[in-house]
Each structure stands twice: as structure tokens, then as C-alpha cells.
Amino acid sequence: MTILLTGSSRGIGAAIQAALTDAGASVIGHGTASGIPADFSDPDGPTALWNAALEQAGGTIDVLINNAGVFEAAALADDDWTAQWERTMRINLTASAELCRLAVLHWQARGVGGRIVNIASRAAYRGDSPAHWHYAASKAGMVAMTKTIARGYAREGILAFAVCPGFTMTGMAEDYLSSRGGDALLADIPLGRVAAPDEIAAAAKFLALEAPASMTGSVIDVNGASYVR
């Protein structure tokens, strides 16, 4: 089992890589600190990563996990608001879409199935702060894309799932909690704490390796009941 995991250098991605490796999977990581380097703000980045990963894997990738993303504020009054919107969409959604496309084409050409796991966010459903329109929209797009892939290619054995974390104790969450008042945000989480990266990793590992085929199209929420559907 060979898995391509984006954003594997830290936080949730590093936890996912550890969980998959412990389960015996061969993981090809992506990131600046580990794995294959690729800049998703560059339109050529996703294809370059896919080709390099495919070569490293010996021509076969079985699972794609899209975890790479950015969480950057863009106040409405910022002169570069549109540029920040486009950067977040490019990295969070478009790059993931391009990798999903390459994965589906790869599995179709080989006549075999495969799995996609997209790490989205509770923001896809409940929105985010006024400075994060673009982040919420990118994650909502990721969920819609996941469901579309699941419906479109299930008969070919190509399965797609999404995970929607709430706050998770990574560098991004720590910065956000400190800047917006951690106590008030924690009060909005019935569990009383933010998630640990290994909790998100457990959900991703299950979907990548164990989830039954009939679960394709599913979205798993991991947010301490801060948003329930």
C-alpha cells in the first residue's frame, strides 16, 4: 500500500504519516522539512509532486491524502484581499483538485480502484471568522469536490472521503487561539479542549486503510461537538 500525503512535515500531516507508517503503509510525504518539496502556490507544483511521487513509488500510488493548506487572515479592508483569496484557493483547493484529478486518471488507466482522503475543516459547514472567508470557502469546496468524486467514480472502485477537524493543536491553531482569545473559543467546544493531531490522524488512517467501500462520500467530523450536523 503506497500513500501520497501532502503537508506531511508538521502538525496533522506529521501525525497522519506516523499513524500510517505504524500501520505498515508506505508513505510518500510532501513538505519543506521532509518528503518531496513542492510549492502549491505555483500552478506547476501539484503535477511536479505527483510525477516525483509516482517515480519514487515505482509507478503505483494507491491512496492520496490531501492535507496541505494555509490559514492566513485577510481583512476586508486589505488592499490585497483578492490576492490573498486567490492564494488560499490555489493552495487549499485547486492544488488538491489537481492531485485528485491525477489520482483518478492514474487509477482509471490502471483499471484499479483507489482512495482519496481530503482533510477539510468544520469551517466548510459553520464558516469561520470575518478575516477567513477564503479559508471557509476553500474547505467547503473541498467537501463538495470529495462528494462529487465519490458519486462519479464509485463503480470503478475509486472512493473518496473527507475529514472535517475543528481546532487542532498545531502551530496554526495556537496562533489563532492566542490572537482571538483562547478562553472564549474553548467555551464553544463542548469537549472542553481542542483536538490533538493524533485524533485527526486516527480518522484519516481509518478512511485510508479500513473504511468499508459503502462509506464513500462520507465526511467525518472531529471537532469536539463544536459543530454537529
Side-chain angles (χ1 to χ4, degrees):
M1 176 70 66
T2 302
I3 300 172
L4 172 58
L5 167 65
T6 72
S8 63
S9 63
R10 61 193 177 98
I12 290 172
I16 294 173
Q17 180 160 1
L20 292 170
T21 300
D22 289 347
S26 174
V27 181
I28 298 173
H30 148 255
T32 56
S34 65
I36 301 171
D39 180 3
F40 284 178
S41 66
D42 179 351
D44 295 327
T47 299
L49 172 64
W50 178 264
N51 290 337
L54 201 58
E55 181 177 358
Q56 183 173 319
T60 300
I61 292 173
D62 303 295
V63 178
L64 166 66
I65 302 178
N66 280 310
N67 169 70
V70 293
F71 183 80
E72 299 168 343
L76 292 183
D78 288 351
D79 291 338
D80 62 347
W81 188 89
T82 299
Q84 293 179 72
W85 174 283
E86 291 176 349
R87 169 178 159 79
T88 291
M89 288 296 174
R90 171 76 245 174
I91 294 172
N92 289 8
L93 181 57
T94 306
S96 294
E98 289 168 339
L99 286 168
C100 286
R101 171 180 174 269
L102 291 167
V104 170
L105 290 171
H106 172 63
W107 296 324
Q108 288 178 327
R110 294 180 59 229
V112 300
R115 293 187 178 219
I116 292 169
V117 181
N118 288 321
I119 309 301
S121 168
R122 71 174 187 176
Y125 290 101
R126 63 168 270 172
D128 211 288
S129 82
H132 293 90
W133 290 17
H134 51 345
Y135 178 79
S138 71
K139 294 302 186 177
M142 183 176 269
V143 170
M145 176 178 71
T146 302
K147 294 182 177 184
T148 301
I149 293 168
R151 289 175 55 82
Y153 307 102
R155 290 185 183 275
E156 299 174 68
I158 297 171
L159 312 178
F161 312 91
V163 180
C164 281
F167 282 110
T168 306
M169 194 47 68
T170 65
M172 288 193 299
E174 289 169 357
D175 292 344
Y176 192 76
L177 285 167
S178 63
S179 68
R180 291 182 53 84
D183 291 343
L185 290 172
L186 289 175
D188 190 40
I189 304 175
L191 187 62
R193 63 171 177 83
V194 298
D198 61 358
E199 292 180 293
I200 314 305
K205 183 190 82 167
F206 170 71
L207 295 174
L209 302 179
E210 304 164 18
S214 289
M215 280 188 65
T216 190
S218 296
V219 180
I220 294 184
D221 297 316
V222 190
N223 63 50
S226 59
Y227 183 78
V228 293
R229 294 181 284 126

